[in-house]
Amino acid sequence: MARYGELMFMEEENGKGAMKAALQDVAAGALAYDTTPLSSSGRQNPFSPEFQSQTLEKGAMIFHMLRWRSATRRFSTP
């Protein structure tokens, strides 16, 4: 959620175009190590690119899909 919170802040400060551009980078990062199973992330070094891809980038994409699917207002702060 931290990575997606960063992206939401970027969207609020710089607009939807900045969010869209950043999401392309996040999506590329999430797919960078698609042959490594998620179940192996507990055995990886937390600072390795594989771990970052499996946790930060994929997690951000999951939250983005949930936001898109459920409604943007549920992800906004009151």
Side-chain angles (χ1 to χ4, degrees):
M1 182 64 186
R3 178 72 166 125
Y4 195 66
E6 175 188 345
L7 295 173
M8 289 179 66
F9 179 76
M10 182 184 304
E11 179 182 36
E12 186 176 317
E13 292 293 313
N14 302 320
K16 291 187 183 289
M19 171 76 147
K20 190 174 183 178
L23 275 171
Q24 288 179 341
D25 291 338
V26 170
L31 296 174
Y33 298 96
D34 62 345
T35 58
T36 308
L38 288 175
S39 60
S40 70
S41 63
R43 295 185 299 269
Q44 295 175 347
N45 180 348
F47 300 104
S48 70
E50 294 89 355
F51 184 83
Q52 299 292 320
S53 171
Q54 290 178 339
T55 56
L56 291 175
E57 309 297 351
K58 285 184 182 177
M61 289 308 298
I62 289 170
F63 277 108
H64 182 65
M65 287 184 261
L66 286 172
R67 179 183 179 195
W68 174 76
R69 182 76 174 126
S70 63
T72 300
R73 63 181 164 73
R74 292 184 185 175
F75 278 79
S76 300
T77 56

